[in-house]
């Protein structure tokens, strides 16, 4: 009987909406952080460390303010949906914007 209760614990359209909203938050903030890294002139490992620090800050803000510290209420796999799952897609967007902004700002250096 417990397995049947777990099946009806989440309403799938709401979980999909929450996942889409989280994906939008991560994508838009990766663009902003990538722009900041490019304008600041960060290169190499400094840029990736900048990304990881901002990723931790953004994920914790989403976890504590948007999810009220209870991600299992809004997502099926709780913490992994908030912090772990979209890392690769966000990293690719970050690197794209980071290199673009660095090239545009420091074109004549």
């Amino acid at each position: 009987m417990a397995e049947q209760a777990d099946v009806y614990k989440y309403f799938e359209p709401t979980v999909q909406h929450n996942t889409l909203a989280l994906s939008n938050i991560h994508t838009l903030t990766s663009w902003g952080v990538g722009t900041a890294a490019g304008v600041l002139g960060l290169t190499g490992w400094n840029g990736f460390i900048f990304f990881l620090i901002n990723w931790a800050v953004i994920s914790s803000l989403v976890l504590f303010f948007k999810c009220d510290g209870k991600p299992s209420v809004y997502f099926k796999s709780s913490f992994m949906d908030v912090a772990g799952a979209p890392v690769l897609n966000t990293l690719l967007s970050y690197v794209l914007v980071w290199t673009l902004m660095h090239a545009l700002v420091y074109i004549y250096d």
Side-chain angles (χ1 to χ4, degrees):
M1 192 68 167
E3 293 173 5
Q4 188 176 9
D6 288 340
V7 171
Y8 297 110
K9 185 176 180 180
Y10 299 102
F11 185 58
E12 192 61 35
T14 304
V15 172
Q16 289 176 353
H17 177 267
N18 294 341
T19 305
L20 179 64
L22 183 67
S23 176
N24 289 340
I25 289 170
H26 282 304
T27 301
L28 291 174
T29 55
S30 73
W31 291 351
V33 170
T35 301
V39 170
L40 290 173
L42 299 177
T43 57
W45 289 108
N46 291 334
F48 287 107
I49 292 170
F50 187 69
F51 170 76
L52 291 175
I53 291 170
N54 281 296
W55 180 264
V57 168
I58 291 164
S59 294
S60 62
L61 287 174
V62 168
L63 181 67
F64 291 115
F65 288 111
K66 295 297 277 183
C67 295
D68 299 324
K70 300 172 193 163
S72 60
V73 173
Y74 303 99
F75 302 100
K76 287 184 179 178
S77 63
S78 68
F79 183 74
M80 286 306 295
D81 280 340
V82 174
V87 171
L88 186 60
N89 291 336
T90 305
L91 180 64
L92 294 175
S93 298
Y94 168 79
V95 170
L96 175 73
V97 175
W98 174 29
T99 55
L100 174 69
M101 288 311 208
H102 189 274
L104 289 174
V105 171
Y106 298 100
I107 193 167
Y108 294 114
D109 283 349

